[in-house]
Amino acid sequence: MDLGLISVRYARALLKCSLEQKVEDAVYADMLTLADSFAKVQQLHSAMDNPMMSSEDKEKLAMTAMGGNPCDLSRKFVALVLSKDRAKHLLFMANSYITLYRKHKNITSGKLITATPVSKQTEEKMKQMVEHKTNGTVEFETVVDPEIIGGFILEYDTYRMDSSILNSLRTISAQLK
């Protein structure tokens, strides 16, 4: 069976159940933390894939990866996933839930990349601009990357506006070749 299909089915069921119980925000926070843990700790993948590790140990590991104190529904969800021997799909299920939750709540993920830190006012203006364009809420992240030299890069949904000096230099270089 297709990995994406399995993950989306479980994520849809989790979203439906979380909406019925009105705990979708808590589950969302747990899934964000879980996905972040998988991204930061590469050994988590191999631990969840390890057939020698018991389900109880995998469950404890998943609870820790969700911040140590996940909501009851998240606990039950992980227990169900492990009982069905689908631990290796847990990251994909968490990411699918995040995507479905954002779509349900009309939340867009946005990122502003600058060469130097920007003021809160500038960050807020950019966030409001994206919210206006998308007619929804924006989860906004600001990243400082000195390699872009100056200017900024704004990303949201599939949109990318690159007004960095690095991009301008690349364009000029390409034109000169």
Side-chain angles (χ1 to χ4, degrees):
M1 196 172 220
D2 184 25
L3 174 67
L5 187 62
I6 293 169
S7 302
V8 171
R9 284 183 180 171
Y10 274 83
R12 276 192 193 128
L14 179 59
L15 181 63
K16 183 179 178 187
C17 192
S18 68
L19 289 169
E20 288 171 0
Q21 295 182 19
K22 299 186 184 336
V23 293
E24 69 273 11
D25 296 336
V27 174
Y28 177 65
D30 293 339
M31 294 302 123
L32 278 174
T33 306
L34 180 63
D36 189 50
S37 295
F38 268 102
K40 289 180 178 171
V41 182
Q42 291 300 315
Q43 294 87 349
L44 195 52
H45 293 279
S46 56
M48 288 297 176
D49 246 351
N50 186 350
M52 301 301 288
M53 185 180 244
S54 70
S55 288
E56 293 81 24
D57 288 342
K58 288 180 183 181
E59 188 171 350
K60 288 177 188 173
L61 191 58
M63 295 307 134
T64 303
M66 285 191 286
N69 193 23
C71 71
D72 286 340
L73 185 58
S74 295
R75 287 178 187 275
K76 290 176 185 175
F77 177 73
V78 168
L80 173 72
V81 169
L82 294 174
S83 73
K84 300 294 181 183
D85 199 28
R86 302 234 189 251
K88 65 182 178 182
H89 302 296
L90 196 56
L91 170 62
F92 299 105
M93 292 174 191
N95 284 330
S96 295
Y97 179 87
I98 291 166
T99 301
L100 292 170
Y101 175 89
R102 286 178 175 164
K103 187 174 183 179
H104 177 76
K105 297 277 188 170
N106 194 23
I107 297 172
T108 303
S109 179
K111 182 191 275 188
L112 176 64
I113 304 168
T114 59
T116 59
V118 295
S119 68
K120 284 290 180 193
Q121 293 171 333
T122 303
E123 186 178 334
E124 192 59 35
K125 274 186 179 180
M126 296 297 260
K127 181 179 177 183
Q128 287 173 356
M129 183 186 79
V130 174
E131 285 177 344
H132 178 72
K133 294 265 188 201
T134 60
N135 295 320
T137 308
V138 176
E139 287 182 348
F140 209 69
E141 175 187 8
T142 304
V143 177
V144 175
D145 182 5
E147 289 187 17
I148 68 169
I149 304 169
F152 67 91
I153 301 170
L154 178 63
E155 301 173 335
Y156 63 91
D157 279 341
T158 58
Y159 180 77
R160 178 181 169 100
M161 183 168 104
D162 193 340
S163 293
S164 67
I165 292 176
L166 180 62
N167 185 51
S168 299
L169 291 173
R170 284 184 183 147
T171 304
I172 292 169
S173 175
Q175 289 172 349
L176 292 174
K177 287 182 181 178

